[in-house]
Amino acid sequence: MQAIVKAALEPEWEARFEANSYGFRPGRCTMDALRAIHTTMNRKDCSPWALDADISGCFDNIDHGPLLAKWPVFTTTLRQWLKAGVVEVGFFSPTDTGTPQGGVISPLLANVALDGMERLFEAEWPDGRPKAPAFRKGLNKGIAVIRYADDFVTTAPTREVLETYARPRLEKFLQERGLTFSEAKTRIVHITEGFNFLGFHIRKLGSREEKLLTVPQKEKVLTHEPFAKVHVACCIYERSPIKTEPHQRSHDIVGLPPQHSQGGSANEAQREGLMVDGDRTADVVAPS
């Protein structure tokens, strides 16, 4: 039933969502979000300061009132799903906030709830076309918001603009929806210091800050490295890929996710010994 309602509502909202929203949307993926960050921060005259933000318990704390107010149809059905409650180990718990965990329609509901972040900073022309940060006026000039689900990055020309203008507006936006920043995962950094986003580390290098490098987070590489090297050793020994079917392979053998084959990741994998004859370990079973 949720899939049917989602199929009816998603096309309308896809036409209304902001340009730099990438999480859980058809035809979009993590690499699209990373490419948007690269396009935004790779220029010499780009905004060098970034608010690397994460929303605390986004799917669990979305306020139902503002969310339901955005839906002109299926309101009763959506309210029943949101208020249905959860039975865990025989105990019933009411769901006064949040979206159904694991529900087919939950990602769409979260995207609808968070839609509007970019428009806080004059991100669209009157006809709805995206407006580049360079064409905006006043304090909005140079501010860009790139979001993947509940994880997003906001860039600005100076640290002061982020601290005194961008962050307070974003905090107010989230509070109206029952949400707050995760203080442990939210920080303001300069691009030369770098920040982590969607499993990648993004940083500008060089004395003149001329090169933007995007590579997998070291922690992610170290997590997958021992298991991936086992697979690589097997491939070298047999001189052919593992011959068992994908569903027969051991789920203890894991490797770098396919998204890590992009950007500067191929070189990183080569250095760590996670590639065989120039090919990434694409046939390694990744954890679900």
Side-chain angles (χ1 to χ4, degrees), residues 213-231:
L213 187 65
T214 302
V215 298
Q217 286 180 236
K218 188 173 183 62
E219 297 83 2
K220 306 294 184 183
V221 174
L222 293 177
T223 298
H224 291 285
E225 179 182 8
F227 304 103
K229 283 188 174 179
V230 169
H231 171 79

Side-chain angles (χ1 to χ4, degrees), residues 244-284:
T244 55
E245 295 298 323
H247 66 275
Q248 295 175 330
R249 297 175 187 170
S250 170
H251 288 281
D252 291 332
I253 300 178
V254 295
L256 292 175
Q259 71 188 45
H260 286 159
S261 66
Q262 308 293 325
S265 309
N267 294 334
E268 182 75 11
Q270 187 73 60
R271 285 196 301 270
E272 296 294 337
L274 304 182
M275 301 180 73
V276 181
D277 298 330
D279 295 327
R280 63 185 175 85
T281 58
D283 57 342
V284 181

Side-chain angles (χ1 to χ4, degrees), residues 4-251:
I4 295 174
V5 174
K6 179 184 177 183
L9 296 175
E10 190 171 54
E12 175 190 355
W13 279 98
E14 277 297 313
R16 298 163 63 180
F17 282 147
E18 295 162 319
N20 284 316
S21 166
Y22 297 96
F24 306 115
R25 293 182 58 186
R28 298 192 173 205
C29 64
T30 55
M31 297 314 305
D32 294 320
L34 291 165
R35 188 177 295 109
I37 291 179
H38 185 88
T39 301
T40 302
M41 308 194 76
N42 193 41
R43 299 176 57 178
K44 292 184 178 180
D45 58 347
C46 72
S47 296
W49 288 91
L51 172 65
D52 178 19
D54 184 81
I55 301 172
S56 179
C58 178
F59 286 87
D60 295 328
N61 298 313
I62 294 175
D63 192 343
H64 293 167
L67 175 60
L68 291 171
K70 290 190 172 186
W71 299 92
V73 295
F74 293 108
T75 306
T76 301
T77 303
L78 292 171
R79 181 182 291 106
Q80 290 174 346
W81 285 337
L82 293 172
K83 301 293 186 182
V86 177
V87 176
E88 187 176 1
V89 196
F91 293 94
F92 174 80
S93 300
T95 50
D96 298 323
T97 60
T99 59
Q101 290 294 321
V104 175
I105 202 171
S106 292
L108 176 61
L109 295 177
N111 275 330
V112 171
L114 296 176
D115 184 57
M117 277 190 180
E118 282 191 83
R119 299 187 188 99
L120 293 174
F121 307 106
E122 197 183 341
E124 293 180 351
W125 295 99
D127 60 0
R129 290 180 297 115
K131 180 188 288 189
F135 290 99
R136 303 173 194 175
K137 298 179 180 179
L139 292 176
N140 293 323
K141 187 177 180 65
I143 295 181
V145 179
I146 299 164
R147 181 174 65 85
Y148 188 93
D150 59 341
D151 195 5
F152 65 94
V153 171
T154 304
T155 65
T158 65
R159 186 185 187 98
E160 289 72 25
V161 170
L162 285 175
E163 290 178 338
T164 63
Y165 179 68
R167 178 163 181 166
R169 298 200 73 180
L170 290 168
E171 287 178 336
K172 181 180 179 182
F173 174 88
L174 294 176
Q175 288 172 359
E176 292 172 352
R177 290 152 179 80
L179 302 171
T180 59
F181 280 128
S182 172
E183 295 298 333
K185 299 180 180 180
T186 300
R187 63 190 187 121
I188 296 176
V189 297
H190 194 271
I191 189 59
T192 55
E193 180 182 352
F195 59 91
N196 297 326
F197 186 67
L198 301 180
F200 285 81
H201 184 72
I202 302 168
R203 182 184 177 188
K204 257 194 175 178
L205 301 176
S207 58
R208 299 182 180 179
E209 303 175 17
E210 67 272 10
K211 180 180 290 187
L212 184 67
L213 187 65
T214 302
V215 298
Q217 286 180 236
K218 188 173 183 62
E219 297 83 2
K220 306 294 184 183
V221 174
L222 293 177
T223 298
H224 291 285
E225 179 182 8
F227 304 103
K229 283 188 174 179
V230 169
H231 171 79
V232 171
C234 292
C235 291
I236 294 175
Y237 180 77
E238 296 184 10
R239 280 300 172 187
S240 64
I242 295 177
K243 296 179 174 57
T244 55
E245 295 298 323
H247 66 275
Q248 295 175 330
R249 297 175 187 170
S250 170
H251 288 281

